Amino acid sequence: MVENQNNYLVWQKATVSQTFLTGVRGAIPLGKEQIDCLMGLILLTQTDVSSFLDLGCGNGILGSAIYQSYPRAQGVFLDLSPAMLTEAERNLGSNAANSKFIVSNLAERNWLDSIADFPKFSVIVSGFAIHHLSDRTKQELYREIFNLLADGGIFLNLEHVASHSHLGERAFDQLFVDSLYSFHQQRGSQLSRQEIDEQYYNRADKVANILAKVELQCQWLEEIGFVDVDCFFKLFEIALFGGIKPLVKANV
């Protein structure tokens, strides 16, 4: 599973992580609606969540939402960036006491060693992280996620995906720049929309993106063995997709 990680490792830089946390994460269009959709799917499919794994957890926003509905769950938060994990621990508040925070690189196969002592997870989520991996590594990671899930468990990936067309790509970029500009204006920024636009197109983490179409990734999940695979939310290049690990039928 080892690959050229030079671009992906840009996220280890504290400055890149901090720029995302303070200037981008809160500006993602329809961010609340995405998390509401993710939580609705978890509540619909899981009567209880004893444990969950958040891959590429960032500031812990997805895990924090899970704790609101399942406060007794044990959360495992994994990220390449120590700065992201520090922010996640801070944001989780009292729930941090029931959480584990692990620095690990999903592009390296030994990331599995860091969670080897944990039981199967009821829920595995990821937010805007897996698109930094090559397509081959994405597929390997999805297989690993399948094996880490408990029977009946759900995997949900809130992700940056590839457009089908140049028009779709342009529309997404315009929407995101508009959202960024509004976000910074509300916080008293004096930057013009043109300056925000230039920052967006020249951002340091852009080189780490390896986008794949959501339909292709859903196909991979089905081939691995996930059921009820679907794209549950899509806004241009933002998609929430995933599936369930089927229950093992008892022998009659």
Side-chain angles (χ1 to χ4, degrees), residues 169-210:
E169 183 179 347
R170 288 170 53 206
F172 173 74
D173 288 341
Q174 178 173 289
L175 174 68
F176 213 117
V177 172
D178 285 343
S179 185
L180 283 168
Y181 179 62
S182 176
F183 176 79
H184 287 283
Q185 283 285 297
Q186 292 170 15
R187 283 153 182 76
S189 172
Q190 300 301 310
L191 293 174
S192 67
R193 190 191 183 284
Q194 179 61 34
E195 290 171 320
I196 294 291
D197 183 85
E198 291 175 357
Q199 288 182 0
Y200 172 76
Y201 281 100
N202 296 305
R203 62 194 188 277
D205 61 282
K206 188 176 181 180
V207 296
N209 290 347
I210 306 173

Side-chain angles (χ1 to χ4, degrees), residues 4-17:
N4 186 339
Q5 303 166 61
N6 290 337
N7 291 339
Y8 181 59
L9 291 177
V10 69
W11 283 101
Q12 284 186 322
K13 297 180 179 179
T15 53
V16 173
S17 297

Side-chain angles (χ1 to χ4, degrees), residues 7-244:
N7 291 339
Y8 181 59
L9 291 177
V10 69
W11 283 101
Q12 284 186 322
K13 297 180 179 179
T15 53
V16 173
S17 297
Q18 195 60 33
T19 296
F20 176 80
L21 291 171
T22 60
V24 178
R25 186 66 183 89
I28 294 175
L30 298 183
K32 179 182 181 299
E33 289 77 5
Q34 294 161 32
I35 295 175
D36 287 347
C37 184
L38 179 143
M39 285 307 307
L41 290 162
I42 294 174
L43 290 165
L44 186 64
T45 61
Q46 307 298 309
T47 55
D48 188 28
V49 173
S50 58
S51 62
F52 66 86
L53 173 62
D54 190 345
L55 296 174
C57 66
N59 65 353
I61 189 170
L62 299 184
S64 180
I66 294 173
Y67 273 132
Q68 290 180 29
S69 295
Y70 303 96
R72 292 189 297 275
Q74 180 182 45
V76 179
F77 295 81
L78 186 146
D79 203 283
L80 174 71
S81 166
M84 290 288 195
L85 288 169
T86 297
E87 187 70 9
E89 185 171 4
R90 185 184 71 82
N91 288 340
L92 287 169
S94 61
N95 288 320
N98 201 35
S99 306
K100 300 295 184 182
F101 302 92
I102 299 171
V103 177
S104 192
N105 186 350
L106 294 175
E108 297 179 350
R109 193 169 187 84
N110 63 6
W111 80 271
L112 289 169
D113 296 338
S114 65
I115 58 169
D117 294 333
F118 294 98
K120 300 285 188 179
F121 296 97
S122 306
V123 173
I124 298 178
V125 295
S126 184
F128 303 107
I130 296 175
H131 69 278
H132 298 131
L133 306 176
S134 71
D135 284 1
R136 175 181 59 82
T137 306
K138 288 185 185 78
Q139 292 177 73
E140 291 182 7
L141 179 62
Y142 291 154
R143 292 189 192 97
E144 292 163 349
I145 287 170
F146 185 85
N147 292 330
L148 289 169
L149 276 173
D151 294 342
I154 190 169
F155 165 58
L156 292 169
N157 189 13
L158 180 57
E159 186 62 294
H160 187 182
V161 300
S163 289
H164 280 270
S165 65
H166 183 54
L167 174 60
E169 183 179 347
R170 288 170 53 206
F172 173 74
D173 288 341
Q174 178 173 289
L175 174 68
F176 213 117
V177 172
D178 285 343
S179 185
L180 283 168
Y181 179 62
S182 176
F183 176 79
H184 287 283
Q185 283 285 297
Q186 292 170 15
R187 283 153 182 76
S189 172
Q190 300 301 310
L191 293 174
S192 67
R193 190 191 183 284
Q194 179 61 34
E195 290 171 320
I196 294 291
D197 183 85
E198 291 175 357
Q199 288 182 0
Y200 172 76
Y201 281 100
N202 296 305
R203 62 194 188 277
D205 61 282
K206 188 176 181 180
V207 296
N209 290 347
I210 306 173
L211 307 183
K213 294 177 181 177
V214 66
E215 295 84 356
L216 178 60
Q217 297 188 71
C218 285
Q219 179 184 325
W220 293 340
L221 295 182
E222 288 179 334
E223 291 171 350
I224 289 166
F226 286 95
V227 297
D228 286 326
V229 173
D230 208 340
C231 175
F232 303 102
F233 174 102
K234 191 170 188 295
L235 177 65
F236 297 123
E237 293 186 359
I238 296 174
L240 173 65
F241 63 95
I244 295 173

